């Protein structure tokens, strides 16, 4: 009997222990669920606060519609049709980029023996002819080529030749290159009214922007303990911000811009690790309200990056050129540089209106302490201490020398005159469109060198106009949201204003009377807006384009 009682007592004790353990386990699961619920609720609240209920609902609807259409496209008949159309489009891309014909020589392996300089130059001329290279000197290209003149070109080539083997990764071997790079940054800092600030050179505007994004991510982690960073950008901000966020695992909240002023909706710009504004933006050449963004950045103690990659050596000279106030209530430039309270970094492309060789830009910071978060340092590498200021390790010192030489050659007066000529050219185009082309309207009130225009006529497809302009030799940028075209004026555009306006009027007539709907702009941007899966299709075409770039 006593043994039986003991066994029952032991069994009860074991059951209590199991129940106790199960209770702990259940409690742990409950706590874990509550933690998950709270964290996801916080993320959802941030998402709604940044995007708004209507935008969030639209995004959800688009996501559901996209998934439904993708399911339908899996049907054999639909899949075959889409594949056939995409294959045709990819073939068109390849034929447009890669020279065709029996006389085209493809150099797929090294020559048995080295070729002479004469042969190399002759072969380059042949490739130019076979590829149909555009003559940028005609002044019909929007941006792309920022030519400072034949004399400056000679200066840059001479500087490049002088330092063609240099590498700033080794400053003790190439001390002059180190000195020139530091001086380029110093000159840009003074141009943007922060002589005691800090900065570095990069390989272009995209790298400058990505470096700034990386800086704020690391700053927020070190000073605020933020491990899931978010940043808020206007829809008009450069795609490099989205690219940097994708690389660096930062959530992006894209805020719409006002359809009339083309400025960011300040009411939607809330707390994050970084706010972004542009002076000027790439799509339509307008400027965000940097002062208002600075107030927000100061209030929440977060970074404010002003993207001046395109404004570069134009916007700092508008005030001195007497153009900052605009004219007839239009084109006014508002404060944007380090004098604005809250601005903590600025990017500026020297290879645009600085007329430096392609592949050079500067990212500037309020102070050296913030710049340190951009650096990468690896002290324990077996190859020695490794430290670099930006993405690249080795860099072409020749580009630094070319940039320094261009800035020295142009000087303050050269850039001032250039600003006055180019901005006057852009405003002349904008005024003429507004006053004498009733089918079109100018987007916003662009203060600098870029003019974007859309159609307000029901029978004029602006993208059709863009395709017609291409046939006339113009190389303009197509935009979406809203559909529009833009021209980034350069020194080469200055003498082409009358030709541009005449060709634009003719293109509008042709697009109105004989639209064909088969041009590159119409096809590409039409596909992107055709359905919820349109962007996915455009992505595939863009990837095919990039693949073709490397087809020998």
């Amino acid at each position: 009997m006593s043994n039986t009682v003991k066994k029952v007592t032991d069994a009860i004790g074991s059951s209590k222990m199991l129940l106790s353990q199960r209770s702990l386990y259940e409690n742990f699961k409950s706590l874990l669920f509550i933690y998950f619920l709270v964290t996801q609720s916080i993320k959802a609240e941030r998402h709604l606060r940044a995007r708004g209920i209507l935008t969030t609902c639209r995004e959800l609807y688009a996501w559901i519609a996209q998934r439904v259409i993708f399911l339908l496209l899996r049907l054999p008949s639909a899949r075959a049709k889409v594949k056939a159309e995409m294959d045709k489009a990819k073939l068109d891309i390849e034929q447009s980029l890669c020279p065709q014909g029996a006389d085209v020589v493809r150099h797929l392996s090294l020559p048995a023996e080295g070729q002479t300089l004469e042969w190399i130059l002759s072969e380059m001329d042949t490739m130019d002819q076979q590829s149909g290279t555009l003559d940028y000197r005609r002044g019909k290209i929007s941006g792309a080529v920022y030519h400072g003149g034949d004399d400056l070109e000679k200066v840059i080539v001479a500087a490049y030749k002088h330092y063609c083997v240099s590498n700033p990764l080794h400053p003790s071997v190439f001390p002059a290159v180190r000195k020139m790079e530091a001086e380029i940054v110093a000159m840009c800092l003074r141009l943007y009214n922060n002589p005691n600030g800090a900065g570095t050179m990069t390989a272009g505007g995209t790298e400058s922007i990505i470096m700034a994004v990386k800086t704020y991510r690391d700053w927020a982690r070190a000073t605020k303990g933020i491990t899931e960073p978010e940043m808020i950008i206007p829809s008009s901000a450069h795609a490099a911000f989205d690219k940097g966020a994708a690389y660096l695992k930062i959530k992006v909240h894209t805020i719409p811009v006002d359809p009339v002023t083309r400025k960011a909706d300040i009411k939607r710009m809330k707390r994050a690790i970084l706010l972004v504004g542009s002076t000027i933006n790439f799509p339509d050449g307008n400027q965000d309200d940097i002062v208002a963004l600075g107030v927000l950045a100061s209030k929440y103690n977060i970074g404010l990056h002003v993207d001046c990659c395109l404004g570069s050596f134009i916007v700092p000279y508008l005030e001195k050129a007497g153009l900052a106030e605009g004219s007839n209530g239009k084109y006014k430039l508002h404060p944007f540089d380090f004098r604005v309270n809250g601005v903590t970094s600025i990017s500026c492309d020297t290879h645009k209106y600085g007329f430096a060789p392609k592949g050079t830009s500067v990212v500037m910071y309020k102070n050296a302490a913030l710049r340190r978060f951009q650096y990468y340092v690896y002290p324990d590498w077996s190859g020695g201490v490794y430290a670099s200021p930006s993405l690249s390790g080795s860099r072409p010192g020749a580009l630094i020398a070319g940039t320094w030489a261009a800035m020295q050659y142009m000087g303050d007066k050269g850039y001032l005159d250039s600003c006055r000529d180019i901005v006057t050219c852009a405003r002349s185009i904008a005024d003429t469109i507004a006053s004498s082309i009733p089918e079109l309207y100018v987007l916003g009130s662009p203060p600098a060198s870029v003019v974007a225009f859309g159609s307000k006529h029901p029978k004029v497809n602006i993208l059709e106009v863009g395709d017609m302009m291409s046939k006339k030799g113009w190389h303009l940028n197509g935009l979406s949201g809203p559909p529009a075209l833009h021209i980034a004026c350069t020194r080469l555009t200055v003498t082409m204003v009358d030709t541009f306006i005449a060709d634009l009027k003719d293109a509008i007539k042709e697009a109105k009377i004989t639209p064909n709907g088969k041009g590159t702009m119409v096809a590409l941007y039409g596909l992107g807006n055709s359905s919820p899966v349109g962007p996915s299709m455009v992505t595939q075409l863009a990837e095919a384009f990039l693949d073709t770039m490397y087809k020998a």
Side-chain angles (χ1 to χ4, degrees):
M1 183 72 177
S2 61
N3 288 336
T4 302
V5 172
K6 186 175 185 303
K7 287 179 180 179
V8 170
T9 304
D10 291 343
I12 292 171
S14 298
S15 298
K16 286 182 177 180
M17 186 177 294
L18 285 171
L19 286 171
S20 177
Q21 289 175 347
R22 181 176 176 80
S23 177
L24 287 172
Y25 176 66
E26 291 296 330
N27 287 338
F28 176 75
K29 283 204 306 182
S30 297
L31 288 172
L32 190 62
F33 175 74
I34 292 170
Y35 172 78
F36 175 81
L37 194 63
V38 169
T39 55
Q40 294 304 309
S41 297
I42 292 172
K43 289 181 180 181
E45 187 269 338
R46 288 175 179 168
H47 187 95
L48 283 169
R49 187 172 58 183
R51 282 171 160 82
I53 295 175
L54 288 177
T55 301
T56 301
C57 290
R58 280 195 292 266
E59 289 175 345
L60 180 61
Y61 170 79
W63 181 84
I64 293 171
Q66 188 181 70
R67 291 300 175 273
V68 171
I69 294 175
F70 274 133
L71 286 173
L72 294 174
L73 289 176
R74 288 184 179 182
L75 295 173
S77 58
R79 187 167 55 200
K81 184 178 179 180
V82 170
K83 185 179 185 303
E85 290 296 324
M86 294 299 288
D87 287 345
K88 182 180 180 301
K90 291 174 183 178
L91 182 61
D92 290 342
I93 291 172
E94 185 174 317
Q95 290 177 343
S96 67
L97 288 179
C98 300
Q100 310 292 319
D103 58 337
V104 175
V105 178
R106 304 191 185 281
H107 306 280
L108 304 180
S109 59
L110 288 170
E113 295 184 7
Q115 304 285 10
T116 64
L117 174 60
E118 291 74 21
W119 181 92
I120 291 168
L121 294 177
S122 174
E123 187 64 12
M124 287 180 174
D125 287 338
T126 299
M127 287 190 288
D128 282 341
Q129 293 169 7
Q130 292 174 339
S131 302
T133 303
L134 288 172
D135 182 6
Y136 66 85
R137 295 176 187 274
R138 294 173 60 199
K140 287 192 169 186
I141 299 178
S142 169
V145 178
Y146 297 85
H147 193 249
D150 292 340
D151 290 342
L152 177 56
E153 189 175 284
K154 293 176 183 177
V155 170
I156 292 172
V157 170
Y160 193 101
K161 180 180 178 181
H162 195 86
Y163 291 98
C164 68
V165 301
S166 63
N167 182 357
L169 185 64
H170 307 287
S172 59
V173 181
F174 303 105
V177 172
R178 183 217 63 80
K179 180 176 182 290
M180 285 187 283
E181 182 173 18
E183 289 174 353
I184 290 165
V185 173
M187 286 187 277
C188 288
L189 282 165
R190 279 164 175 77
L191 202 58
Y192 282 84
N193 290 293
N194 188 23
N196 297 318
T200 71
M201 285 192 71
T202 67
T206 293
E207 187 184 356
S208 287
I209 287 169
I210 292 175
M211 286 292 90
V213 171
K214 186 261 184 194
T215 295
Y216 290 110
R217 183 198 67 174
D218 292 0
W219 167 80
R221 181 191 297 153
T223 62
K224 297 186 175 184
I226 295 174
T227 57
E228 295 184 11
E230 301 178 1
M231 63 191 230
I232 301 176
I233 65 174
S235 59
S236 57
H238 198 281
F241 289 101
D242 295 273
K243 186 177 184 179
Y247 284 173
L248 299 167
K249 297 183 178 180
I250 297 172
K251 183 172 182 177
V252 177
H253 296 289
T254 303
I255 304 303
V257 297
D258 185 283
V260 177
T261 66
R262 307 302 298 169
K263 296 179 185 292
D265 185 349
I266 300 298
K267 294 177 182 178
R268 304 279 288 277
M269 307 285 272
K270 300 295 182 181
R271 283 182 286 183
I273 64 163
L274 174 62
L275 299 178
V276 170
S278 302
T279 301
I280 51 179
N281 71 50
F282 175 84
D284 51 57
N286 283 283
Q287 175 192 20
D288 289 314
D289 189 343
I290 306 303
V291 173
L293 289 172
V295 171
L296 276 179
S298 299
K299 178 180 178 180
Y300 295 116
N301 186 29
I302 55 178
L304 170 57
H305 182 86
V306 182
D307 177 18
C308 293
C309 287
L310 185 52
S312 61
F313 284 62
I314 293 287
V315 291
Y317 282 97
L318 283 172
E319 185 175 352
K320 190 181 289 188
L323 298 170
E325 292 302 314
S327 60
N328 301 319
K330 298 182 292 185
Y331 316 134
K332 180 179 175 63
L333 179 76
H334 298 276
F336 64 93
D337 60 19
F338 283 107
R339 290 174 293 184
V340 176
N341 187 37
V343 172
T344 49
S345 61
I346 295 175
S347 49
C348 164
D349 281 0
T350 45
H351 67 200
K352 286 192 173 72
Y353 295 103
F355 309 122
K358 275 295 181 182
T360 61
S361 178
V362 173
V363 57
M364 298 168 277
Y365 296 99
K366 190 73 174 177
N367 52 54
L370 184 57
R371 178 180 61 180
R372 289 196 188 99
F373 291 103
Q374 178 180 302
Y375 297 162
Y376 176 79
V377 180
Y378 184 20
D380 301 321
W381 182 40
S382 59
V385 177
Y386 181 91
S388 65
S390 56
L391 283 176
S392 300
S394 292
R395 292 180 292 138
L399 290 182
I400 294 171
T403 301
W404 185 88
M407 293 172 73
Q408 294 297 325
Y409 184 83
M410 288 296 296
D412 190 65
K413 184 179 184 302
Y415 286 124
L416 176 61
D417 292 342
S418 175
C419 167
R420 187 179 289 113
D421 291 344
I422 291 170
V423 174
T424 300
C425 165
R427 292 181 182 180
S428 175
I429 289 173
D431 285 338
T432 304
I433 290 173
S435 64
S436 66
I437 305 182
E439 295 90 347
L440 306 183
Y441 71 98
V442 174
L443 274 66
S445 181
S449 57
V450 174
V451 180
F453 45 93
S455 172
K456 58 182 179 181
H457 193 287
K459 293 186 178 181
V460 176
N461 182 339
I462 193 63
L463 300 176
E464 187 88 49
V465 173
D467 287 325
M468 297 295 183
M469 289 292 280
S470 294
K471 292 179 180 179
K472 299 177 185 298
W474 290 94
H475 192 275
L476 307 180
N477 291 86
L479 311 175
S480 61
L485 302 174
H486 97 207
I487 180 168
C489 299
T490 67
R491 290 178 66 164
L492 297 169
T493 319
V494 171
T495 60
M496 298 295 291
V497 174
D498 292 340
T499 303
F500 175 78
I501 293 297
D503 285 347
L504 182 60
K505 289 180 178 179
D506 288 342
I508 291 169
K509 291 179 184 177
E510 293 165 13
K512 192 188 298 184
I513 297 170
T514 58
N516 60 32
K518 295 181 180 179
T520 302
M521 286 190 185
V522 172
L524 182 63
Y525 291 98
L527 175 62
N529 296 312
S530 62
S531 73
V533 299
S536 176
M537 300 300 176
V538 172
T539 297
Q540 290 185 45
L541 290 179
E543 289 171 348
F545 177 88
L546 295 175
D547 286 342
T548 307
M549 292 281 287
Y550 293 94
K551 184 177 177 60

